[in-house]
Amino acid sequence: MSFFKKILGGINNNNAKNLYGTVEDWEAASPSELKKYKENIAQAVEAKHITPGMLGRFLVVTGDAEEGERVLNNAIQDGVENAEKDYSETLSYYYVSKGKYNTALKHDKWFEKWIDASEKCVEQGQNLAETSLADIYSSCYGINDPEFDNKVGRIVELFEVAVSKHQSLGALNYARFIKKTLSSDEYRQKNTPNYKPLEEAKPYFLQAIKDEKGTQFESSAYEAILWYYVDFMQREVYDALDGYASERKLTNKNMNKLYEEVVTYVKHCGDKKVIIQKSVTSCVAQLELIILASELKAVPSLHEVADNYVWQVSKKHFQNATASIPKEECLAEMIAYFVEHKEELVKEHEFNQAFYDFIEKRIAKV
């Protein structure tokens, strides 16, 4: 919401701010203050000191969406300069504030006018127009919507223009769109030429870090690329589970490379650092435990413990297996064996530091 409040603020002159207020002022104002702001804005519109867009924004933000939309739409019909921009940005603010910015929005009575105004903004070369419209389309059309295949080409086109212009949120939202939608298993199963592998999102996540440097979205860019890495780490865990089932020799080489890259970004991710670090450590530890289990299968007294542990990591991978030993009990036995036989085990495999951190916390907890 802070982004929409910022673009709707639109007032730099202190005198004008005192007269007309900003979004934050309107939201915090008393009834008498709102009345004064409205009178000032209406008089300034009448005198043509400001455009009707200010009045439309004021009405929408302060609760009279019907009248505000009417004012904004009339401004478009009257050919007022930047009226489409006012309409597009104000309706975006309204829909986000009401929790309507989703696929159900296609059925809203103002949806088509909102889209038309937003498309016009692109034609006019308005600032951030491509990013804004791409975000509208990608938020309002899901892969199961019949119209999605007709819209996805336009979404990609808009995002690629936004990326080339280094628009704020362009690269970040495009990377997120690839990660969440275009690279999803559900979309891949539709056998469409628009499917993209997850790896194709990485250059856009990296560009987002540069594009958002010093903006309010800088930490969001770092958080986004870290969740991207977590996805790949989870894939390494799933691959290890497959390898365990087929008795393939397991390795942490790819995981360690991912972990090294993660370390360079995690310190920049703001208040999400703790939860992201926990997810990263969990993935690394999980892989190492599966690798440890594969080694312990060769120990007669621990063969059953190893199997029982891995079977309970992912029931999806071992649907026909029936565990007879609780997972926590298996984990305790595996860790105890690792601590006692560490020197011997590390000769066969170099464990990640995150795994040692995990073990230390487990021991301290016990």
Side-chain angles (χ1 to χ4, degrees):
M1 279 301 296
S2 59
F3 173 67
F4 290 105
K5 289 180 183 180
K6 183 178 179 181
I7 63 175
L8 284 179
I11 305 172
N12 296 317
N13 182 282
N14 286 331
N15 185 49
K17 284 182 180 179
N18 292 332
L19 282 172
Y20 314 132
T22 64
V23 174
E24 286 82 0
D25 293 333
W26 302 337
E27 290 178 336
S30 66
S32 61
E33 289 171 329
L34 284 177
K35 183 179 179 182
K36 189 61 177 176
Y37 282 136
K38 185 176 181 180
E39 289 174 355
N40 290 342
I41 293 169
Q43 289 170 7
V45 170
E46 184 69 25
K48 299 188 184 319
H49 293 156
I50 59 175
T51 67
M54 174 68 77
L55 178 59
R57 291 199 297 270
F58 173 83
L59 292 168
V60 170
V61 171
T62 57
D64 194 350
E66 292 285 341
E67 181 61 14
E69 190 278 336
R70 187 190 68 79
V71 170
L72 292 165
N73 187 51
N74 285 346
I76 293 176
Q77 304 311 314
D78 293 340
V80 175
E81 186 178 4
N82 294 326
E84 288 84 4
K85 184 174 186 289
D86 288 334
Y87 192 98
S88 175
E89 292 178 351
T90 305
L91 266 290
S92 292
Y93 167 89
Y94 172 73
Y95 289 134
V96 170
S97 67
K98 297 298 181 182
K100 293 183 176 182
Y101 205 83
N102 52 47
T103 55
L105 192 47
K106 295 187 295 296
H107 308 295
D108 186 85
K109 60 185 176 182
W110 297 327
F111 181 75
E112 292 301 332
K113 287 190 282 184
W114 181 43
I115 292 294
D116 290 344
S118 301
E119 284 282 6
K120 196 70 176 178
C121 288
V122 172
E123 293 176 24
Q124 294 168 349
Q126 297 284 3
N127 186 38
L128 304 179
E130 287 83 8
T131 294
S132 177
L133 184 54
D135 196 47
I136 289 170
Y137 279 136
S138 61
S139 298
C140 296
Y141 290 95
I143 59 177
N144 293 318
D145 287 325
E147 310 96 328
F148 184 78
D149 284 340
N150 294 327
K151 300 296 181 184
V152 68
R154 179 66 172 146
I155 296 170
V156 169
E157 176 188 23
L158 288 164
F159 270 134
E160 289 184 348
V161 172
V163 168
S164 69
K165 291 182 176 181
H166 295 273
Q167 291 180 359
S168 182
L169 292 179
L172 181 56
N173 284 352
Y174 188 27
R176 286 169 168 168
F177 180 61
I178 294 172
K179 178 177 177 290
K180 180 182 177 182
T181 303
L182 298 186
S183 68
S184 67
D185 288 339
E186 186 179 4
Y187 194 56
R188 177 176 54 80
Q189 290 167 9
K190 291 181 178 292
N191 196 27
T192 167
N194 294 309
Y195 170 81
K196 292 181 182 294
L198 180 58
E199 292 85 345
E200 291 196 23
K202 186 175 182 180
Y204 303 108
F205 280 123
L206 291 173
Q207 180 174 327
I209 289 173
K210 295 179 181 178
D211 288 352
E212 304 304 337
K213 186 174 179 61
T215 75
Q216 62 180 310
F217 306 112
E218 183 174 3
S219 63
S220 296
Y222 281 107
E223 289 167 17
I225 197 170
L226 285 164
W227 287 123
Y228 162 86
Y229 277 115
V230 168
D231 272 10
F232 269 100
M233 289 178 157
Q234 290 172 339
R235 290 186 179 192
E236 287 297 311
V237 172
Y238 297 149
D239 182 68
L241 290 168
D242 292 336
Y244 185 92
S246 63
E247 299 187 355
R248 166 166 47 90
K249 180 68 175 176
L250 303 181
T251 175
N252 63 2
K253 184 177 179 181
N254 290 338
M255 181 70 87
N256 286 346
K257 183 180 178 182
L258 291 169
Y259 184 77
E260 287 172 7
E261 293 184 40
V262 162
V263 169
T264 65
Y265 297 121
V266 73
K267 59 186 176 183
H268 300 288
C269 65
D271 58 1
K272 298 289 176 64
K273 178 179 178 179
V274 173
I275 189 171
I276 291 174
Q277 184 66 65
K278 185 176 180 180
S279 296
V280 167
T281 302
S282 175
C283 288
V284 173
Q286 196 69 268
L287 175 66
E288 298 288 16
L289 287 167
I290 295 167
I291 293 174
L292 177 60
S294 71
E295 298 291 333
L296 297 186
K297 282 188 74 172
V299 180
S301 62
L302 291 172
H303 183 102
E304 188 178 1
V305 169
D307 277 347
N308 269 262
Y309 173 75
V310 175
W311 292 343
Q312 293 173 82
V313 170
S314 174
K315 293 180 181 179
K316 181 180 177 181
H317 281 76
F318 304 97
Q319 296 180 14
N320 298 323
T322 302
S324 58
I325 307 172
K327 184 180 176 182
E328 284 298 309
E329 186 178 326
C330 296
L331 187 57
E333 288 194 45
M334 289 167 57
I335 290 175
Y337 187 89
F338 175 81
V339 172
E340 187 175 348
H341 300 84
K342 178 181 173 182
E343 290 187 13
E344 178 185 343
L345 289 167
V346 297
K347 290 178 183 178
E348 299 295 324
H349 175 76
E350 185 177 346
F351 292 88
N352 188 289
Q353 182 58 46
F355 174 69
Y356 290 112
D357 294 342
F358 171 80
I359 294 247
E360 286 180 11
K361 287 181 181 179
R362 287 280 308 190
I363 293 173
K365 189 177 180 180
V366 172

